Amino acid sequence: MSLAATPPILHIDHLRFAYPGDPPIAAGWSARIGAGVTLLHGDTGSGKSTLLRVLAGVLPATGGRLTLAGAALPDAAEAYRRQVFFVDPSTDAFDAMGVEECAASRSADVPFDAARWQALVDGFSLAPHLAKKMFMLSTGSKRKVWLAAALASSRPLTLLDEPTAGLDAGSMRCLWRTLAEVAQEGGRAVIVASGERVDGVPLTATLTLPLTG
């Protein structure tokens, strides 16, 4: 694991998570995640998605403490979660909403970069779908909507789970280009969970599961 000397945004102290009877995904893990893009790397089934859910505050850790923008888990769960952009790519909770309404609903309480949203709409070829409800979109198009909304959001912590899944080559280039821009801007941390290495994006840190110490 290599962590760059950037101002910490997410403080992780002695984090532990394990499903009953399984080896821990994180065991007494402490780290400081700074601004920029962090790669969470691991093989299929290693627990990347699970760890993102723990870091998002939607799955309780079995030990330790997370602090983000002054809000800590487990003490101030709602305040903590308001600092995070995370959507389970497989969720159907927003299916009745329109595409643009859906994106706006996840960033209603923070500044939203409309220019970046539009650039991602173009780069992901989402324009023909903007007037549709989410349930009308393919799984791949839904993922693109969430990626665009996440990257246009200004929440301090953004968590992306296997963001290249289902993307065509042009959309992948748009994703990497945007992540490279975000990495240079400062002020927010993006954690990308992926079984593949990220090319062309300057990384603040690389984490490999399982995480200890």
Side-chain angles (χ1 to χ4, degrees), residues 85-173:
F85 194 111
F86 172 74
V87 175
D88 182 340
S90 65
T91 186
D92 59 3
F94 304 92
D95 275 6
M97 300 176 70
V99 168
E100 292 188 299
E101 177 190 10
C102 195
S105 72
R106 296 294 294 124
S107 297
D109 57 340
V110 294
F112 188 75
D113 190 335
R116 174 163 286 160
W117 163 260
Q118 186 58 55
L120 288 161
V121 165
D122 295 340
F124 290 161
S125 301
L126 284 172
H129 304 299
L130 293 182
K132 297 178 182 178
K133 300 289 187 183
M134 289 291 285
F135 76 86
M136 301 170 67
L137 272 58
S138 67
T139 299
S141 292
K142 282 184 181 180
R143 293 181 70 95
K144 291 178 181 180
V145 170
W146 290 126
L147 282 173
L151 293 169
S153 172
S154 61
R155 294 187 189 277
L157 178 63
T158 298
L159 305 174
L160 304 180
D161 191 4
E162 297 289 359
T164 61
L167 293 189
D168 56 87
S171 294
M172 288 179 63
R173 287 193 296 271

Side-chain angles (χ1 to χ4, degrees), residues 1-27:
M1 176 179 71
S2 62
L3 295 178
T6 57
I9 290 176
L10 174 63
H11 297 247
I12 302 166
D13 295 292
H14 307 292
L15 184 71
R16 177 178 175 82
F17 184 86
Y19 287 113
D22 288 346
I25 295 169

